[in-house]
C-alpha cells in the first residue's frame, strides 16, 4: 500500500448509513423520532441537494481571465429534496401537487390556481450515522416543483415522484432555505 493510500481513522464512524426518514418536524436539540411526524414510506432513496449559482462579473471584460475569484458573485442557492413516495395519503398527494386543498371528510384533493402561505412547509430528512449519531437536513419553506406523477406497475406498488424546493421568505431574505446538522454518537 502506498504512503498516501490511507483514510482517516474515524471515517467509519462518520459514514451516513441507511436511507433515513422524511419528517414534518424535528428538533436536533432533542432528537427523537415521533411516528406521527413521518411523512411517507419511500423507495429508491432520498436526494437532498444544495447547489450554488454564480455569476462571473468579469465574463464580458476584455483580457479578464474566466473565473477570476475577485469577480465571482454568489447569486443564490437552489435547494431541493427529491424522493419517491409509496403512500397515497391525501397529504402526500397534496404535497406532490403543491397548491392544493384537502377535504378531510371526503378525501378529495383539489389543485388550486394560486398559492397560499400554508402551501409552504419545512420538511426534514434525518439519517443515521454509523457511530450512532445523526445527520439532519431542514428544507425551509418547501414546495413541490415537480407536480404530481403516479407510476403504477403490474403486480407492484404505485410510486409518486416528488421534488420539493426550498424558498426564501420576504421576511428573511438572507436565509438560505436549507440547514444541515451533524451530531456524533455517544461515547461508549
Amino acid at each position: 500500500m502506498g504512503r498516501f493510500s490511507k483514510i482517516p481513522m474515524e471515517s467509519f464512524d462518520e459514514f451516513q448509513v441507511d436511507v433515513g426518514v422524511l419528517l414534518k418536524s424535528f428538533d436536533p436539540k432533542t432528537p427523537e423520532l415521533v411516528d406521527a411526524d413521518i411523512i411517507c414510506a419511500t423507495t429508491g432513496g432520498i436526494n437532498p441537494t444544495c447547489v450554488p449559482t454564480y455569476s462571473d462579473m468579469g465574463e464580458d471584460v476584455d483580457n479578464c481571465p474566466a473565473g477570476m475569484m475577485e469577480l465571482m458573485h454568489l447569486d443564490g442557492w437552489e435547494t431541493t429534496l427529491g424522493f419517491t413516495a409509496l403512500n397515497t395519503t391525501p397529504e402526500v398527494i397534496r404535497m406532490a401537487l403543491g397548491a392544493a386543498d384537502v377535504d378531510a371528510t371526503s378525501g378529495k384533493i383539489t389543485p388550486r390556481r394560486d398559492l397560499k402561505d400554508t402551501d409552504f412547509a419545512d420538511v426534514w430528512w434525518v439519517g443515521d450515522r454509523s457511530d450512532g449519531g445523526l445527520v439532519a437536513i431542514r428544507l425551509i419553506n418547501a414546495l413541490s416543483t415537480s407536480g404530481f406523477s403516479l407510476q403504477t406497475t403490474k403486480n407492484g406498488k404505485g410510486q409518486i415522484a416528488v421534488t420539493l424546493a426550498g424558498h426564501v421568505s420576504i421576511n428573511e431574505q438572507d436565509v438560505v432555505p436549507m440547514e444541515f446538522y451533524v451530531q456524533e454518537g455517544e461515547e461508549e
Side-chain angles (χ1 to χ4, degrees):
M1 180 175 350
R3 184 169 59 143
F4 298 103
S5 298
K6 295 183 179 182
I7 62 172
M9 291 177 59
E10 63 277 352
S11 289
F12 294 109
D13 292 337
E14 298 169 345
F15 287 174
Q16 188 283 311
V17 294
D18 294 322
V19 174
V21 65
L22 294 170
L23 302 171
K24 296 176 209 170
S25 66
F26 182 74
D27 185 354
K29 294 176 186 160
T30 55
E32 295 183 23
L33 180 59
V34 177
D35 284 350
D37 287 333
I38 299 173
I39 294 172
C40 62
T42 61
T43 186
I46 299 168
N47 185 24
T49 63
C50 186
V51 180
T53 55
Y54 297 103
S55 293
D56 183 349
M57 303 305 282
E59 175 177 68
D60 61 347
V61 177
D62 293 341
N63 300 321
C64 180
M68 184 174 288
M69 72 176 193
E70 291 83 1
L71 296 179
M72 294 303 293
H73 178 263
L74 177 60
D75 297 326
W77 293 88
E78 294 181 26
T79 57
T80 63
L81 185 62
F83 58 94
T84 301
L86 296 174
N87 303 61
T88 53
T89 65
E91 194 50 39
V92 168
I93 294 171
R94 187 212 58 78
M95 177 182 278
L97 288 167
D101 295 312
V102 175
D103 181 336
T105 308
S106 67
K108 179 181 177 183
I109 304 100
T110 308
R112 222 181 312 103
R113 285 186 50 90
D114 54 346
L115 285 171
K116 295 180 180 178
D117 287 347
T118 55
D119 293 327
F120 297 85
D122 293 355
V123 173
W124 288 83
W125 168 82
V126 183
D128 294 306
R129 275 178 39 133
S130 54
D131 66 356
L134 65 87
V135 179
I137 298 173
R138 176 183 170 212
L139 184 64
I140 301 169
N141 302 321
L143 180 72
S144 173
T145 57
S146 60
F148 178 83
S149 173
L150 173 65
Q151 178 63 55
T152 62
T153 59
K154 181 178 180 180
N155 300 323
K157 298 176 281 299
Q159 300 179 6
I160 300 172
V162 181
T163 300
L164 303 175
H167 292 83
V168 175
S169 169
I170 197 167
N171 299 318
E172 297 177 308
Q173 296 180 30
D174 293 330
V175 174
V176 175
M178 188 173 266
E179 298 174 338
F180 302 84
Y181 300 84
V182 175
Q183 293 181 3
E184 295 180 2
E186 300 287 325
E187 294 283 333
E188 293 186 21

